[in-house]
Amino acid sequence: MSVTGASESLLALSQQEQPVDLPRDYPLSASEDDEDSNGERKHRKLLEAISSLDGKNRWKLAERSEANQSVSEFNISSEGIREKLALSDLFQPIKMSSSLVTVKKQLKRVKAKKTVALPLNKEEVARIHREIRTPLEQEILNILHKYKQPVTDPLLTPVEKASLQAMSLEEAKMRRAELQRARALQSYYEAQARRQKKIKSKKYHRVVKKGKAKKALKDLETLRKVSPTAAASEELEKMEKARMMERMCLKHQNNGKGTKSKSFRAKYDLKSRQAMQEQLAKNRELTQKLQVASESDDEAGGVEEDGLMVPDVSAVLMDTKGSNPWMCRSCTCHSRESEIQKDPELPPEHVTLKDSESEEEESPVAEENTLLKEFEERQSLRKRPEPSTYAEPMVCQETQAFSSQEVLSELKALSRQLSKEDRQSRKQKVNSIEVALRSQEEEKPLLLQRPERIQTLEKLSKEGCSPNMEIPRPVLQGQQRERNPDNQPEAPKKKRKEQTIDLQNLLTTKSPFGKSLAVPTLEELEGEEERNQKQMIKEAFAGDDVIRDFLKEKRESVEASKPKGVELTLPGWGEWGGGGLQPSAKNRRRFLMNAPEGPPREDKHLPNVIISEKRNIHAAAHQVHVLPYPFSHHQQLERTIQVPVGCTWNTQRAFQKLTTPKVVTKPGHVIEPIKAEDVGYLSSPRSDLSVMQRIPKGLSVWHRKQLKDNSAG
Amino acid sequence: METAPKPGGDAPPKKNKLRAKRKKPRRYWEEEETAPTAAGASLGPPRSKKRKQEFRPQRPKNTYIQNKSRVSKKPQIPKKPRERRNPEPQRTLSGAQDPFPGPAPAPVEAARKFRRIDKSKKLLHSKSKARSRLEAAEAEEEEASLRAARSELLLAEEPGFLEGEDGEDTAKIRQTDIVEAVDIASAAKHFDLNLRQFGPYRLNYSRTGRHLALGGRRGHVAALDWVTKKLMCEINVMEAVRDIRFLHSEALLAVAQNRWLHIYDNQGIELHCIRRCDRITQLEFLPFHFLLATASETGFLTYLDVSVGKIVTALNARAGRLDVMTQNPYNAIIHLGHSNGTVSLWSPAMKEPLAKILCHRGGVRAMAVDSTGTYMATSGLDHQLKIFDLRGTFQPLSSRTLPQGAGHLAFSQRGLLAAGMGDVVNIWSGQGKGSPPSLEKPYLTHRLSGHVHGLQFCPFEDVLGVGHNGGITSMLVPGAAEPNFDGLENNPYRSRKQRQEWEVKALLEKVPAELICLDPRALAEVDVITLEQEKKERIERLGYDPEAKAPFHPKPKQKGRSSTASLVKRKRKVMDEEHRDKVRQSLKQKQQQKEDGKKPKPTGTRSSALDRFMH
């Protein structure tokens, strides 16, 4: 049934088609295209009908076959699959004007045709294919060739072409993206700066200022390493600027309100007087003109004399750069250093680029260009805030680990002997440098003492050791360490050392007695042999460091027994939460309830002992944990139960006495009810005497009165 | 009427009153005596009788103090003793007079030894009822300690000693000399067993000191009554024997064999093979807990309850092979020596060591703890012999480098220290009983025919048993052992019946294993942590603190004196007074702290009585 039904619908479709696709006014002599499309459509419909034969009744949009008043918006359909109904189609008039269609087709045809080229005039041809005849022309051609100017087609020079080629579309896009990025970054930075500027906290600004100053110092330092001359000039510039500022403003001239009042008080108050003088000194110092080469005479002698003081020679360095051959050498030396230093810093792209360029263009001009580029790159690198961050850590971290510590530890001892000792080893020199720097640092602001270090380094190089880049680094790091919280890493180390020493002493306690007495039956060894044996033992146990292991174990156990704080952080509280997100460190710190410090460990002062702090809960289960009535403190109860009662710890009599019951009854005797007399009350006036005897103290006034009355009566 | 009972003047009636107060309570069955006092108080003879009764309980009160005062206050005394002596002749049946009336004097110093209450801790102010309890407890303690001190008289035996003639070194005195000098019975205690066939011997004396068990490396196990030399059993277990130990009595023997732990009886019959304890190297028996502690090659310390046959705990020491073990007889804690120079202290209740002491640079070879649990002697691979103080500080008191290092150590009951070094045994002694052995010069030395493999002092006999390659040597060491034994506890002369009875009693008094801790008196302390916890919980549950002091509310007064202002004033007064009290107390505390701080502490550790021996 379904098959026949489907075939019927197919028939119906084929019949229906005609009125839609072939409108009446459509010219019968339609072009092949139209016929083709018609055929295609029919074919498609046929295919669809066939595909619907499989039984699934697909819902089909109803086709509009005739004009109707009530047009349902839901029934609008597009014909075929590929032709999607567009809005513009709906706006257009339904019927296309036939005349326009023909014109269109004609135009198409015209476009498709190609024009046939006309041959040029003879003259023109001759002008183009001109031969070189005159020497002038030849010369001109040569020149043109030489400078790579276009000869035939004078549109673009080869350089211009190359430049055009150099920037491809991708490159242009990249460049644009870069620029965009830079712009975005700039705007971000601006926004940040604006925000920061708005912050009202004075402390914050102070911190920022300090950080900036530090950064500037660091920059200067690195710059100095790279090119001392530039650094020196910059420094001078800065000083000059500071001087100008100082001269212009009235900051340190004791003109302010506060300072005036201070000056008034200065007569009596030592402190304010000092403060005033300080201010003036500062002013003087700042406004002083730089006196160049004034101290150059005592430069050499000063260093030799006391080792700690290195005179200021920055100015010397600046001035005598040209004339002094030594200085010159050092300068070149430094520049070479800088080159060496910089090479690894260059990004690899640059290198490859450079190579390719040099390969392609071998003309001197191009070489110059590349050189110029390199120089520019270097300049830009130099201008970067922290050029040394690339390679330095990797190179010097190992050296830092030991050398700086060594330096620090040896520092104090060496500093005293420094002047006497001849400096031969490099390490010592480094020490001396550092010492000098340190002493300087204490006296002056850091900015002023840069050149000295350079000078000392120069000295090193003068004295013969090759300019190794590893020399200054430990020094630098040492300095940084000093600048950081003073000697903080050293303090705990010292402590630990003390402890180990203590333990060592413990383990090697000399027997309090002298040499052991000779015992006849005992073959005591001779002193030397004993010593030998000791040595042997020492050697045997050199490998396993028992003490260190023990200390480590103890530290671990101490850590483990420390009460841990409770973390009350709610993930997602005050910040973003969700899977894989950890609450921030700040929040964690904020909501961390630090556990109260427990009582001090029992083995706190016993370096060779670890006493477990764990409670024996099994034993505690047998202990008393409730205070009985009359006691208010556990110590009171403890006192009463400390005496053992058992017969194992007491004599027989004592045991009996300690364990006598409060109430003793005897079998075979009648226990009579209690009488008033027994408790001390009077039952009859006659028995008052017995009462008196029994309880002489406990009589109240009333009782006595009664007694008296009785005796009287 | 009132004047009748006090003929002697004013002072006696006061005493009478006191006596009446402390009078022995009249029991309800004592009718004959109480009846006359109740009926006729004015009669003469009964009164005197009553006085007699009053005197009797009085006597223990003025015990030795009175006697002491007799020496100092001569003029007053003659009257009172006379008074007392008068009634006494009447009481004795024979009519003979007691030349030393009253209880026997007791030395105060001896009594101090038996004091148990720690008075170093200061008590807070206590309420009257609590105070009376405390006073009663203190009185009890005083009396009990006095009685104990008095009973020391009964310890008649005195320890032996060895003294050289004017400066002669006692170490030069040989065993043969000693044997010649002593009586026959003692000389018989020195002997050598030549057992060369079955390798080096371990040995163990029973707790009474009467029996000796020996185990040869090559399987020879024997038990004998070494005093009478009567062999109880002798077997070969056909397996390497690592250690041997008597259990609570001489009837049971634990033998650590190559693979497992075996238990034999005194007939040599194998009773148990405990396979859960394998590869045991060392055995220790804790007599009051009935625990057999075993240290194994696998690094486990296993406690076996012998009374019920259950393994209490198996603790992993996490320190490799356990070769060195000893027990602290004072608190039943097991000491293990490790190859990294540490000694760890273990209790079956805790999974981790109670304490760890770094003793030597090399591994620990041997250890011993003295009978009072005060000193521990250790020797290590670094050839050092050290003595540690175990009373909380664990610090070395003295040390000495030995040419060979000691492989075995043993403490005697009276604190002599024996060390086996190769084939030589050295014994050091201290100054007194409580002092550590001074390592300056040996007290005795002896050379054996083989290398030392086991060392133990015999309890209650001046004998040191040494097991070595060539068998067993029983050395005479004068002054080594406790001369007086407790017949109810360890009776060397007990019969079989007595032993059985003791066994039952000991089992009844068995101490639970979980009570083993560093301070054996911890049971007499209050579990403060639980106490606080429960208190807190209670407060939480109730919503208020029931024990908190109620705030002061002034009572309303009448006749217009209860104005609000006066109420407030009174309230303020009380508050101020309390505040002042607090301030006063805090000031006092601060002063005390200052004073304490001023006192220089020599080493930072607790000062001990032995400081004077150290430099």
Side-chain angles (χ1 to χ4, degrees):
Chain A
M1 279 296 284
S2 67
V3 176
T4 52
S7 58
E8 273 171 19
S9 71
L10 200 86
L11 264 175
L13 267 175
S14 58
Q15 281 167 3
Q16 266 179 354
E17 253 170 34
Q18 251 124 26
V20 184
D21 286 336
L22 298 170
R24 213 126 292 160
D25 52 354
Y26 206 82
L28 280 173
S29 60
S31 61
E32 294 167 12
D33 294 353
D34 276 345
E35 274 197 16
D36 274 350
S37 67
N38 236 344
E40 268 177 19
R41 233 173 273 156
K42 275 179 184 171
H43 180 68
R44 217 177 295 134
K45 291 244 162 144
L46 185 73
L47 282 178
E48 276 174 8
I50 289 166
S51 68
S52 67
L53 279 177
D54 59 2
K56 284 173 196 167
N57 259 333
R58 285 189 189 146
W59 183 77
K60 281 212 145 189
L61 287 174
E63 227 163 337
R64 274 181 67 200
S65 51
E66 51 197 298
N68 196 356
Q69 281 289 330
S70 58
V71 179
S72 166
E73 51 184 326
F74 302 111
N75 285 347
I76 293 170
S77 70
S78 60
E79 264 185 16
I81 300 159
R82 286 176 204 165
E83 297 169 31
K84 269 205 164 175
L85 189 73
L87 195 65
S88 55
D89 296 339
L90 292 177
F91 284 131
Q92 276 171 358
I94 299 165
K95 291 167 191 170
M96 294 278 279
S97 59
S98 57
S99 58
L100 272 178
V101 172
T102 51
V103 170
K104 232 186 202 173
K105 270 169 194 167
Q106 275 175 359
L107 207 131
K108 253 186 200 169
R109 246 173 252 150
V110 168
K111 259 194 184 172
K113 274 176 188 167
K114 284 176 185 173
T115 50
V116 181
L118 266 179
L120 283 172
N121 285 345
K122 266 192 182 176
E123 273 182 61
E124 284 175 338
V125 171
R127 211 178 291 155
I128 290 162
H129 300 284
R130 219 168 72 98
E131 287 172 23
I132 300 152
R133 285 165 208 148
T134 57
L136 178 72
E137 278 179 350
Q138 236 167 3
E139 252 179 59
I140 288 167
L141 202 73
N142 273 341
I143 288 167
L144 281 176
H145 266 293
K146 201 177 178 182
Y147 290 103
K148 294 211 163 180
Q149 290 302 315
V151 184
T152 49
D153 193 4
L155 259 174
L156 289 168
T157 60
V159 179
E160 283 168 336
K161 258 187 200 167
S163 72
L164 261 185
Q165 277 171 359
M167 192 177 271
S168 65
L169 186 65
E170 284 87 45
E171 264 181 284
K173 272 184 180 172
M174 267 169 61
R175 179 148 176 70
R176 204 180 62 148
E178 252 174 51
L179 279 174
Q180 271 179 344
R181 205 166 149 266
R183 240 174 282 133
L185 278 176
Q186 196 184 357
S187 71
Y188 293 154
Y189 183 75
E190 274 170 10
Q192 196 188 4
R194 232 172 278 135
R195 214 170 45 239
Q196 283 177 348
K197 205 183 166 191
K198 264 187 194 170
I199 292 174
K200 281 178 183 166
S201 160
K202 276 184 181 172
K203 193 181 172 189
Y204 168 77
H205 283 291
R206 218 174 291 142
V207 169
V208 166
K209 219 187 210 172
K210 229 180 227 175
K212 267 183 190 165
K214 259 186 193 169
K215 204 181 162 194
L217 275 181
K218 220 185 229 173
D219 287 357
L220 234 172
E221 218 164 280
T222 48
L223 180 59
R224 167 163 313 111
K225 219 185 290 165
V226 173
S227 68
T229 53
S233 68
E234 203 167 286
E235 220 160 82
L236 276 182
E237 213 170 86
K238 257 187 194 167
M239 280 156 82
E240 190 57 35
K241 202 176 174 190
R243 182 168 167 264
M244 269 152 67
M245 295 274 279
E246 180 60 25
R247 288 183 69 190
M248 276 174 63
C249 79
L250 304 169
K251 208 174 178 186
H252 299 114
Q253 308 205 352
N254 289 352
N255 283 333
K257 213 174 178 184
T259 44
K260 266 183 184 167
S261 71
K262 240 178 210 168
S263 69
F264 179 73
R265 246 182 289 146
K267 242 186 238 174
Y268 313 105
D269 192 2
L270 186 69
K271 256 188 195 170
S272 54
R273 205 183 308 157
Q274 273 177 352
M276 234 176 67
Q277 277 168 356
E278 253 170 48
Q279 288 246 316
L280 285 175
K282 206 169 196 182
N283 180 33
R284 223 172 293 137
E285 189 188 322
L286 280 168
T287 49
Q288 213 169 21
K289 229 189 171 183
L290 281 177
Q291 286 173 358
V292 193
S294 61
E295 292 156 357
S296 61
D297 299 342
D298 55 355
E299 157 200 11
V303 178
E304 298 310 324
E305 265 164 31
D306 59 356
L308 295 177
M309 292 293 295
V310 181
D312 191 333
V313 276
S314 61
V316 186
L317 203 145
M318 278 307 300
D319 268 29
T320 55
K321 194 177 67 186
S323 58
N324 193 348
W326 291 106
M327 289 293 177
C328 264
R329 213 185 78 177
S330 75
C331 277
T332 51
C333 203
H334 274 285
S335 63
R336 219 176 291 146
E337 277 171 23
S338 68
E339 269 189 19
I340 292 162
Q341 195 193 6
K342 239 174 292 153
D343 272 343
E345 284 167 13
L346 280 176
E349 303 158 7
H350 284 290
V351 180
T352 52
L353 198 138
K354 207 185 0 177
D355 287 350
S356 64
E357 273 176 3
S358 60
E359 274 169 18
E360 279 171 16
E361 306 168 296
E362 289 171 339
S363 63
V365 185
E367 271 183 19
E368 272 178 21
N369 274 342
T370 53
L371 272 175
L372 260 175
K373 260 187 194 172
E374 272 180 30
F375 188 66
E376 272 172 11
E377 278 164 10
R378 267 182 216 172
Q379 284 271 329
S380 67
L381 272 175
R382 220 170 274 174
K383 274 170 195 168
R384 267 187 218 170
E386 282 170 328
S388 59
T389 46
Y390 286 99
E392 215 176 2
M394 283 173 276
V395 180
C396 65
Q397 235 153 24
E398 301 105 322
T399 54
Q400 173 205 352
F402 62 93
S403 63
S404 63
Q405 281 184 10
E406 271 183 359
V407 166
L408 275 173
S409 58
E410 287 175 7
L411 201 75
K412 280 175 189 168
L414 279 175
S415 61
R416 286 170 207 146
Q417 307 166 358
L418 214 78
S419 54
K420 295 161 201 166
E421 280 177 16
D422 50 338
R423 296 162 228 163
Q424 286 176 348
S425 70
R426 209 171 65 195
K427 215 201 293 172
Q428 278 180 336
K429 267 164 223 151
V430 171
N431 279 338
S432 72
I433 292 159
E434 210 191 47
V435 170
L437 284 172
R438 256 182 139 192
S439 60
Q440 288 275 336
E441 250 175 326
E442 285 161 12
E443 289 167 14
K444 291 183 195 174
L446 235 123
L447 206 143
L448 296 176
Q449 39 124 343
R450 292 294 136 163
E452 279 111 64
R453 206 185 63 200
I454 290 167
Q455 190 244 355
T456 44
L457 283 177
E458 275 162 27
K459 283 213 156 172
L460 286 189
S461 64
K462 253 189 255 176
E463 276 174 15
C465 62
S466 61
N468 194 337
M469 284 317 289
E470 283 185 7
I471 313 169
R473 271 175 204 152
V475 179
L476 191 126
Q477 277 143 9
Q479 262 187 343
Q480 279 168 354
R481 199 162 294 168
E482 278 164 47
R483 238 176 278 150
N484 289 342
D486 270 353
N487 294 334
Q488 254 193 1
E490 237 182 340
K493 212 172 66 188
K494 263 189 186 172
K495 247 186 205 168
R496 212 176 300 146
K497 216 172 193 178
E498 275 173 15
Q499 207 179 17
T500 53
I501 286 165
D502 200 357
L503 200 49
Q504 291 249 1
N505 281 341
L506 255 176
L507 277 186
T508 54
T509 37
K510 269 265 162 193
S511 54
F513 322 105
K515 255 207 150 185
S516 55
L517 275 179
V519 178
T521 50
L522 252 175
E523 62 277 59
E524 291 259 355
L525 294 177
E526 291 295 307
E528 277 182 37
E529 277 186 61
E530 210 167 314
R531 230 170 287 140
N532 281 343
Q533 216 163 17
K534 268 189 184 171
Q535 192 63 33
M536 263 175 62
I537 290 164
K538 251 185 199 171
E539 281 165 14
F541 296 118
D544 39 22
D545 197 344
V546 173
I547 298 169
R548 199 194 299 148
D549 289 350
F550 188 83
L551 280 179
K552 196 182 159 202
E553 203 183 334
K554 179 160 182 178
R555 225 173 299 138
E556 277 167 8
S557 70
V558 167
E559 283 301 314
S561 74
K562 262 185 191 165
K564 278 159 196 93
V566 186
E567 203 174 288
L568 297 172
T569 322
L570 285 173
W573 182 266
E575 60 197 359
W576 288 107
L581 278 178
Q582 291 290 324
S584 69
K586 182 189 157 199
N587 248 12
R588 235 180 281 161
R589 221 178 307 127
R590 196 171 147 208
F591 292 109
L592 183 75
M593 301 286 288
N594 279 326
E597 192 107 325
R601 279 180 70 92
E602 275 187 76
D603 54 6
K604 199 181 168 193
H605 299 297
L606 310 171
N608 67 328
V609 187
I610 306 171
I611 296 175
S612 167
E613 295 280 297
K614 273 193 184 161
R615 213 158 70 97
N616 184 353
I617 46 167
H618 301 290
H622 292 268
Q623 285 178 334
V624 178
H625 56 85
V626 180
L627 277 187
Y629 157 59
F631 303 111
S632 54
H633 197 261
H634 65 90
Q635 279 178 354
Q636 295 169 352
L637 176 64
E638 275 169 17
R639 274 208 181 177
T640 56
I641 57 176
Q642 264 169 355
V643 182
V645 185
C647 61
T648 319
W649 298 274
N650 288 304
T651 58
Q652 190 60 27
R653 296 291 297 171
F655 167 64
Q656 280 174 350
K657 207 156 191 207
L658 287 172
T659 54
T660 41
K662 266 189 179 173
V663 179
V664 186
T665 56
K666 207 172 183 183
H669 288 266
V670 180
I671 302 175
E672 285 184 0
I674 201 161
K675 285 176 202 159
E677 300 170 0
D678 296 336
V679 198
Y681 282 106
L682 296 170
S683 58
S684 65
R686 250 182 293 158
S687 61
D688 44 68
L689 204 148
S690 64
V691 169
M692 267 294 288
Q693 280 174 344
R694 208 165 297 145
I695 18 163
K697 242 189 182 176
L699 283 178
S700 65
V701 182
W702 182 78
H703 274 175
R704 272 185 203 155
K705 229 182 191 177
Q706 272 217 332
L707 273 175
K708 262 187 187 173
D709 290 347
N710 283 337
S711 59
Chain B
M1 291 286 277
E2 268 184 306
T3 48
K6 46 167 188 176
D10 280 329
K14 266 188 187 174
K15 271 195 174 178
N16 265 354
K17 274 178 196 172
L18 280 173
R19 275 171 211 156
K21 223 184 168 186
R22 297 204 179 170
K23 199 186 71 176
K24 197 176 157 194
R26 180 172 61 84
R27 309 296 189 189
Y28 63 88
W29 59 81
E30 295 171 347
E31 281 171 278
E32 304 89 42
E33 289 175 358
T34 49
T37 50
S42 56
L43 289 174
R47 214 183 297 144
S48 67
K49 212 178 187 182
K50 196 177 121 200
R51 202 192 275 168
K52 255 188 271 166
Q53 280 173 356
E54 281 159 5
F55 268 118
R56 275 179 67 189
Q58 179 64 19
R59 222 157 269 145
K61 199 194 123 202
N62 48 13
T63 48
Y64 66 104
I65 303 165
Q66 204 76 34
N67 287 335
K68 264 203 151 183
S69 69
R70 200 195 305 170
V71 181
S72 57
K73 299 172 188 174
K74 269 175 186 171
Q76 290 181 4
I77 298 319
K79 289 172 192 170
K80 281 179 185 174
R82 249 176 244 156
E83 273 184 6
R84 262 175 227 156
R85 264 175 212 162
N86 285 336
E88 270 156 15
Q90 293 175 5
R91 246 186 292 144
T92 49
L93 282 173
S94 62
Q97 278 196 4
D98 184 3
F100 305 105
V108 187
E109 297 300 317
R112 196 170 291 158
K113 191 169 63 177
F114 297 100
R115 291 278 164 95
R116 296 271 165 53
I117 292 179
D118 181 18
K119 279 174 185 162
S120 62
K121 287 178 197 164
K122 285 222 164 182
L123 282 186
L124 299 174
H125 180 73
S126 43
K127 288 178 205 159
S128 62
K129 270 200 177 170
R131 214 183 305 140
S132 67
R133 285 269 198 106
L134 284 174
E135 277 165 9
E138 270 167 31
E140 274 177 2
E141 183 219 13
E142 194 180 331
E143 195 183 341
S145 65
L146 262 183
R147 282 177 188 277
R150 207 173 287 140
S151 71
E152 280 226 316
L153 265 177
L154 303 173
L155 307 177
E157 298 289 323
E158 283 188 0
F161 58 91
L162 182 65
E163 271 179 9
E165 287 173 351
D166 46 77
E168 190 192 3
D169 193 358
T170 50
K172 283 181 184 169
I173 299 172
R174 300 185 173 199
Q175 281 293 308
T176 48
D177 302 337
I178 295 172
V179 167
E180 275 174 22
V182 296
D183 58 318
I184 299 173
S186 302
K189 287 169 189 165
H190 171 69
F191 60 88
D192 272 308
L193 296 180
N194 285 324
L195 306 161
R196 297 218 158 265
Q197 207 177 347
F198 294 109
Y201 276 86
R202 300 276 302 171
L203 82 170
N204 181 234
Y205 287 102
S206 67
R207 286 198 71 223
T208 56
R210 186 71 188 230
H211 298 271
L212 173 69
L214 31 124
R217 165 68 63 72
R218 284 163 214 162
H220 180 206
V221 170
L224 67 154
D225 183 342
W226 69 274
V227 180
T228 58
K229 316 284 189 302
K230 192 182 138 199
L231 191 68
M232 293 198 297
C233 71
E234 186 172 25
I235 48 170
N236 198 319
V237 296
M238 306 304 286
E239 208 178 3
V241 169
R242 259 99 168 246
D243 202 358
I244 189 164
R245 201 138 297 245
F246 275 115
L247 297 190
H248 56 278
S249 72
E250 58 272 15
L252 290 171
L253 258 177
V255 180
Q257 293 180 17
N258 196 21
R259 288 199 71 182
W260 295 312
L261 174 70
H262 294 255
I263 290 179
Y264 299 89
D265 75 347
N266 56 0
Q267 306 295 314
I269 299 164
E270 184 184 318
L271 300 178
H272 303 287
C273 169
I274 297 151
R275 295 191 186 173
R276 283 187 63 191
C277 301
D278 60 332
R279 296 164 174 233
I280 305 296
T281 54
Q282 293 271 323
L283 292 172
E284 251 339 306
F285 185 71
L286 311 175
F288 299 106
H289 306 79
F290 283 82
L291 289 178
L292 182 68
T294 60
S296 72
E297 272 181 4
T298 51
F300 275 88
L301 169 65
T302 313
Y303 286 86
L304 174 72
D305 192 332
V306 185
S307 62
V308 289
K310 263 188 189 168
I311 284 179
V312 177
T313 42
L315 306 169
N316 189 357
R318 291 201 186 80
R321 184 189 155 100
L322 301 177
D323 246 349
V324 188
M325 175 165 78
T326 190
Q327 67 161 308
N328 187 341
Y330 172 63
N331 51 14
I333 278 179
I334 293 289
H335 294 220
L336 292 176
H338 302 298
S339 58
N340 59 354
T342 57
V343 169
S344 54
L345 317 188
W346 294 84
S347 125
M350 300 281 279
K351 288 280 176 204
E352 62 174 30
L354 301 175
K356 261 191 173 183
I357 313 157
L358 181 60
C359 297
H360 292 278
R361 300 197 133 206
V364 178
R365 281 179 77 189
M367 276 181 313
V369 181
D370 84 323
S371 58
T372 58
T374 317
Y375 308 112
M376 174 175 71
T378 62
S379 83
L381 281 174
D382 54 356
H383 292 199
Q384 290 243 324
L385 174 63
K386 291 185 183 180
I387 291 176
F388 283 82
D389 188 357
L390 286 183
R391 290 169 296 185
T393 60
F394 305 107
Q395 297 302 305
L397 296 173
S398 59
S399 74
R400 187 200 165 106
T401 311
L402 299 170
Q404 280 181 303
H408 296 271
L409 291 172
F411 264 109
S412 83
Q413 279 179 326
R414 297 192 77 243
L416 267 61
L417 176 65
M421 303 164 286
D423 57 348
V424 175
V425 172
N426 262 22
I427 299 160
W428 292 277
S429 71
Q431 259 78 28
K433 211 211 157 190
S435 64
S438 66
L439 303 178
E440 192 179 4
K441 59 177 189 177
Y443 174 62
L444 271 182
T445 54
H446 186 60
R447 184 186 283 272
L448 304 153
S449 57
H451 277 260
V452 178
H453 194 61
L455 263 186
Q456 198 191 352
F457 278 100
C458 179
F460 308 114
E461 295 282 359
D462 285 347
V463 163
L464 170 67
V466 186
H468 49 88
N469 276 338
I472 298 280
T473 301
S474 175
M475 274 175 66
L476 290 187
V477 184
E482 196 64 54
N484 301 293
F485 57 84
D486 183 352
L488 295 173
E489 188 63 36
N490 295 312
N491 188 355
Y493 307 109
R494 68 188 174 192
S495 63
R496 195 163 150 242
K497 210 73 184 158
Q498 277 173 326
R499 193 193 77 207
Q500 286 165 351
E501 211 156 282
W502 166 84
E503 211 168 348
V504 171
K505 272 183 187 158
L507 275 170
L508 286 174
E509 284 174 358
K510 187 182 121 179
V511 184
E514 64 258 28
L515 283 182
I516 297 176
C517 47
L518 273 176
D519 179 16
R521 293 177 60 75
L523 200 60
E525 283 166 8
V526 175
D527 184 7
V528 183
I529 295 170
T530 317
L531 182 75
E532 298 285 322
Q533 183 71 25
E534 281 184 356
K535 198 173 169 188
K536 209 194 260 173
E537 275 170 15
R538 193 170 167 219
I539 289 170
E540 252 171 40
R541 205 173 51 235
L542 293 174
Y544 70 98
D545 187 4
E547 285 157 24
K549 199 183 162 195
F552 174 72
H553 286 294
K555 272 184 192 168
K557 284 188 176 176
Q558 285 175 343
K559 294 180 184 171
R561 279 177 209 163
S562 191
S563 72
T564 322
S566 75
L567 279 183
V568 168
K569 224 186 245 173
R570 275 153 66 200
K571 212 172 179 179
R572 181 128 295 270
K573 247 188 201 172
V574 174
M575 269 170 67
D576 286 347
E577 187 54 42
E578 279 172 1
H579 185 243
R580 252 175 264 139
D581 271 351
K582 262 186 204 168
V583 170
R584 246 175 251 143
Q585 272 191 357
S586 72
L587 277 178
K588 229 185 223 175
Q589 273 186 356
K590 266 183 194 172
Q591 262 194 349
Q592 268 195 352
Q593 276 179 0
K594 258 189 188 176
E595 280 169 14
D596 291 344
K598 272 176 192 173
K599 281 174 194 170
K601 283 187 177 176
T603 49
T605 58
R606 220 192 295 167
S607 62
S608 77
L610 305 157
D611 283 344
R612 63 206 153 107
F613 300 114
M614 292 174 68
H615 298 282

